[in-house]
């Protein structure tokens, strides 16, 4: 009988809703991306309204520093990123996982500074997105620092991507959305990664990460892909995942319904 270890990456992805991709960047490449990342955070590369705080519902310990910094569309703000190794390697991985018609939908940076202690709320990416007839999608989360439990590695709920979308609701300040979820629910799985490694998850897989309780930063680069025809439909309907308007609200009709997680 085949074991889980015998399955291909795409089979594991289909079964669990997430899969580790292995190394996507060498140590020297990680250093290059960290340098660009720092230029975004310092403001040398201007991000304007593409920069926001995913942890804005929690009072900041330091007013000058976001709890969880999110910068949408770094590749649109700094176009050389498109020709660097990560976009090509992530696209190859996306094609392996969801099909050869995969194309880049959007990318983003998410940064957790040391001792910010604010978790990223449980959510499903599809809740942010408009309804589309083909729901294939994959987000590839790439660690630029070692990601561990105490600085905010990703958590997923194994197999939950095959269930109805969970009901989502606004965070207390109304600027982000969340759903019910817990580390102790069946299937909840942490995915620690070394810098340069990645993990891929579907648009319907619930996920979250703890706040950063360590002395070091936790930087991640996320690239999201979907079928080319669905990208065309998205853009035709005026949805560009924050490129023109970086507002995080519930757009998927199923996520607005009262589906509860199975506990």
């Amino acid at each position: 009988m085949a074991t889980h270890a015998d399955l291909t990456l795409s089979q594991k992805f289909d079964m669990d809703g997430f899969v580790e991709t292995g190394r996507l960047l060498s140590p020297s490449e990680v250093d290059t991306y960290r340098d660009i990342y720092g230029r975004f955070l310092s403001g040398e590369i201007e991000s304007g309204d593409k920069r926001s705080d995913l942890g804005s519902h929690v009072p900041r310990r330091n007013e000058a520093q976001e709890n969880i910094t999110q910068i949408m569309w770094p590749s649109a703000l700094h176009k050389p990123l498109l020709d660097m190794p990560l976009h090509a390697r992530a696209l190859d991985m996306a094609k392996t996982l969801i099909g050869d018609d995969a194309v880049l939908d959007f990318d983003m940076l998410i940064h957790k500074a040391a001792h910010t202690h604010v978790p990223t709320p449980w959510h499903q990416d599809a809740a942010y997105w408009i309804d589309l007839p083909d729901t294939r999608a994959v987000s590839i989360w790439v660690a630029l620092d070692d990601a561990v439990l105490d600085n905010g590695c990703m958590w997923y709920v194994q197999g939950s991507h095959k269930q109805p979308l969970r009901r989502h609701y606004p965070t207390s300040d109304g600027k982000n959305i969340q759903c019910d979820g817990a580390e102790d629910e069946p299937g909840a799985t942490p995915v620690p990664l070394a810098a340069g490694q990645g993990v891929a998850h579907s648009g319907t897989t619930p996920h979250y990460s703890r706040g950063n309780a360590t002395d070091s930063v936790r930087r991640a680069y996320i690239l999201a892909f979907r079928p080319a025809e669905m990208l065309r439909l998205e853009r035709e309907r005026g949805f560009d995942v924050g490129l023109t308007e970086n507002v995080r609200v519930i757009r998927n009709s199923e996520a607005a319904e009262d589906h509860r997680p199975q506990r």
Side-chain angles (χ1 to χ4, degrees), residues 97-171:
L97 297 177
I98 67 170
D100 288 339
D101 56 348
V103 294
L104 179 70
D105 192 6
F106 64 95
D107 57 355
M108 63 179 165
L109 310 177
I110 298 182
H111 171 263
K112 294 192 175 190
H115 299 293
T116 38
H117 297 280
V118 178
T120 302
W122 284 96
H123 66 283
Q124 292 160 288
D125 295 337
Y128 290 102
W129 304 338
I130 62 173
D131 297 341
L132 291 170
D134 184 341
T135 59
R136 284 179 294 147
V138 59
S139 295
I140 299 177
W141 194 99
V142 183
L144 296 182
D145 302 287
D146 292 348
V148 297
L149 285 172
D150 289 341
N151 73 359
C153 72
M154 296 293 283
W155 285 72
Y156 302 102
V157 182
Q158 190 175 36
S160 58
H161 62 303
K162 297 181 180 179
Q163 299 172 2
L165 284 185
R166 300 183 180 192
R167 184 182 67 88
H168 284 67
Y169 48 93
T171 52

Side-chain angles (χ1 to χ4, degrees), residues 178-206:
Q178 61 185 339
C179 67
D180 293 335
E183 290 184 6
D184 62 354
E185 70 177 273
T189 307
V191 184
L193 298 172
Q197 295 180 337
V199 58
H201 64 267
S202 81
T204 54
T205 305

